[in-house]
Structure formats: structure tokens, C-alpha cells
Amino acid sequence: MTDTFPRLLGDVGGTNARFGWQASAHTGIEHVLVLPCAAYDTLEAAIRTYLELKNLPMPRVGALGIANPITGDVIRMTNHHWSFSISDMQRSLGLAQLKIINDFTALALALPSIPPENLVQVGGTVAQAFAPKALIGAGTGLGVSGLLPTDANDHWVAIAGEGGHVTLAAQNDTEYRVIELIRQRYGHVSAERVLSGQGLVDLYLAMRQLQGHPPTEVTSAADITHLALKNKDPLALQSLQMFAGFLGSVSGDLALTLGALGGVYLGGGVVPRWLGWFESSVFRERFEAKGRFREYLKDIPVYVINAAESPALLGASRSLN
């Protein structure tokens, strides 16, 4: 049997690439480093830089979660310019094995092992121990996955899908008008088109247009978050509330689709920055607002993943087991 250690592990998003190292089956993940994707022409260049900076040898195998559908050997990232052949990169790096999976598939595989102190519960009661878990997270894009039990021995299988690209639905007149303005600019308005960092910017700009405000120099989700949570700017706060409402609706849809009695987990980089405000936002109300199935959803807990290091690195490692 091929030795699968040491392992290079990665969690590659549209903005940052996180790398880690696992020396053996009996050691944890070490030497974690975050590199900005924009600083490197290729993923392979980022990998080689990581190994050089951490003074590590070429690993035996690699497993990377990447923010993209994995449908064959050639990967062309949706939210970044990197493209590569998995087999070519494996040969170039001299790896015995290189496994590439969706980044939210990797995160889903890690869900059962996330410590309670890295989870902030937003409503619901207690998750069923061995029931489907849903995962959704807004960052550069909108990742969606789930974890399904396969037997009674704590074995799970992660879903590899692209649920972030489902069509976004309005629940009131203002949301309808905002979606229409965004549709005029982009065409199809997916959930990701609004529930992402750039999506928050587009939502805010649409709200400004609806309310007749003049043009603005605000161009980032961080700026809007600062305006809302630090400056208490009314329009920025309305934009965050609308974002939370949309996220609640989409998360509730996902919980119903998967029968996620094991809980719904919110990953990604956006929501953790809103903790302290998000728990009392309209998110939970909209999560449960499913008519006759409100009672079904009201006990399902939602957890915000708030970890210093990406649990997806552990999930990438588990994909090799």
C-alpha cells in the first residue's frame, strides 16, 4: 500500500490559499500558512513558495480543497484566474498522489470534528447525533455542501455540488426590486451573486439606487461592514439585514432539501466578522419562515464556524483516508 504521509494539505479559495502539513497519521496539522492567491501566477507556484517558506521537503501526497467544481482533470477556477491539469501538476511536483476536491466538500468532511468552542449557535435546540448536516458559507463565492451518514459506525459521505448557483428568490417587494437591478447588470441572479463579498457590494449599491442616494466610493464588503457595525449607517445596516435575510432563506431551503436534523453550519469568511450582531439579525426568522414547515425547522440548530485555522485542511486530509 502506498504510504500517504507526509501530506501537503490545502484550502484554496478565490482570495486566499491556506496550506498545512501532516507528518503522520498520529500527528495533527502543522505549519499552517495563508498566501494571497493574487500574488502567484499559478497554484503550483503558491505550493512551492509555501514549502520553501516553511522549509519543508516535497511531500509524498497532497490533498487540496478548491473553490471550484471538480468535473475532470482540468480545473479552471470560477472566482480566480488559476487553471491547471491535476495530473500535470502531480507529475511536476513529483507526488505519488494528488487529490483535488471542492473546498466545501473538504469542510463538510471536517464538521464532526470541529470543537464546540469554534461554533457559535444561532437558534434551534440540539442537533441529532447521526443525521444529515448542511453546510453553506459566504466568502469570495458561496459554498454549499452537506454531510450524509452512511451507516451506524460514524461513517459519512460529503456532497460535492454547486448549490451556490441556485436562483435567488425574493420574499418581499424591496428584495424583488433589488434582485431586478442586479439582474439588469448580470443576467441570472444566483444565490452567490448576492451572498458573497462582491454580492454584498452589489446589494448595497442597488439599495442606494432604489433610495435615490448619490454615487459612492464604497467598493468592498469590509467598507460596508464597517459602515454598518461601527458607524451605524442606516443604509449599510439595511444591506446587512437584507443579506442576512437572503442567507436565512437559502439556508432554510438547504436544511429542508437535505433533511439536516444534524444541524446547519455556516462557513466562509463573511458571517464570522458579523458575530455579535448576526445572532439577533433576521437570519433565524427567515431560516424558519417556510410556512407549514416552520415547526420542522425551528429545532434545527445553526452553527457559525468561527475557527482561527481552516477546518477544511482536516477535511482534505480525511479525503485521503
Side-chain angles (χ1 to χ4, degrees):
M1 182 177 176
T2 302
D3 186 6
T4 62
F5 292 94
R7 295 174 172 179
L8 167 73
L9 305 171
D11 174 22
V12 181
T15 303
N16 294 309
R18 298 163 180 84
F19 297 108
W21 183 267
Q22 190 173 18
S24 74
H26 308 292
T27 59
I29 298 170
E30 305 173 295
H31 306 299
V32 175
L33 181 67
V34 180
L35 297 176
C37 296
Y40 302 92
D41 290 337
T42 65
L43 175 56
E44 182 176 336
I47 290 171
R48 290 185 181 276
T49 298
Y50 164 73
L51 295 172
E52 180 181 350
L53 291 174
K54 290 295 184 178
N55 195 27
L56 294 167
M58 193 60 65
R60 181 68 178 161
V61 303
L64 309 176
I66 189 166
N68 212 72
I70 312 301
T71 57
D73 181 65
V74 177
I75 307 297
R76 294 183 176 87
M77 290 186 67
T78 305
N79 291 313
H80 190 59
H81 70 264
W82 285 346
S83 63
F84 61 94
S85 157
I86 299 172
S87 57
D88 286 350
M89 189 162 70
Q90 178 180 338
R91 283 191 294 270
S92 179
L93 293 171
L95 303 179
Q97 182 183 4
L98 176 60
K99 188 163 189 177
I100 306 292
I101 61 176
N102 177 266
D103 62 333
F104 266 68
T105 303
L107 183 54
L109 288 168
L111 292 181
S113 299
I114 297 177
E117 60 266 26
N118 292 152
L119 298 172
V120 177
Q121 186 167 344
V122 182
T125 55
V126 179
Q128 293 186 14
F130 202 57
K133 304 175 187 293
L135 172 64
I136 185 169
T140 305
L142 181 68
V144 175
S145 186
L147 198 64
L148 306 180
T150 61
D151 56 36
N153 297 313
D154 202 27
H155 292 159
W156 303 82
V157 61
I159 296 171
E162 287 297 322
H165 297 279
V166 299
T167 301
L168 189 65
Q171 297 299 309
N172 55 55
D173 288 345
T174 302
E175 289 182 356
Y176 177 86
R177 293 167 70 192
V178 164
I179 288 175
E180 176 58 20
L181 287 174
I182 296 173
R183 185 198 65 78
Q184 290 172 12
R185 180 174 181 182
Y186 293 108
H188 177 241
V189 181
S190 66
E192 178 177 277
R193 186 61 74 186
V194 169
L195 298 176
S196 59
Q198 180 58 45
L200 176 60
V201 175
D202 289 329
L203 189 157
Y204 175 74
L205 294 177
M207 289 283 284
R208 290 185 66 87
Q209 184 176 344
L210 280 180
Q211 297 186 19
H213 291 275
T216 175
E217 294 182 359
V218 172
T219 57
S220 74
D223 289 342
I224 297 165
T225 296
H226 182 85
L227 282 172
L229 302 184
K230 299 297 183 182
N231 297 356
K232 308 301 180 184
D233 178 83
L235 184 60
L237 277 168
Q238 289 175 39
S239 300
L240 260 62
Q241 283 285 13
M242 183 174 287
F243 188 109
F246 277 132
L247 183 60
S249 291
V250 175
S251 299
D253 289 345
L254 182 61
L256 290 173
T257 300
L258 296 183
L261 300 179
V264 175
Y265 292 76
L266 301 183
V270 172
V271 172
R273 293 183 173 90
W274 297 352
L275 287 171
W277 171 84
F278 182 77
E279 297 92 318
S280 59
S281 73
V282 298
F283 169 85
R284 185 73 207 192
E285 177 188 339
R286 289 283 293 269
F287 176 81
E288 297 178 9
K290 301 296 179 185
R292 292 172 294 168
F293 271 74
R294 179 183 294 274
E295 289 299 306
Y296 180 90
L297 289 165
K298 72 179 181 63
D299 290 332
I300 294 178
V302 174
Y303 306 102
V304 179
I305 301 170
N306 188 31
E309 294 182 357
S310 172
L313 296 176
L314 173 60
S317 181
R318 285 188 169 173
S319 74
L320 292 166
N321 296 340

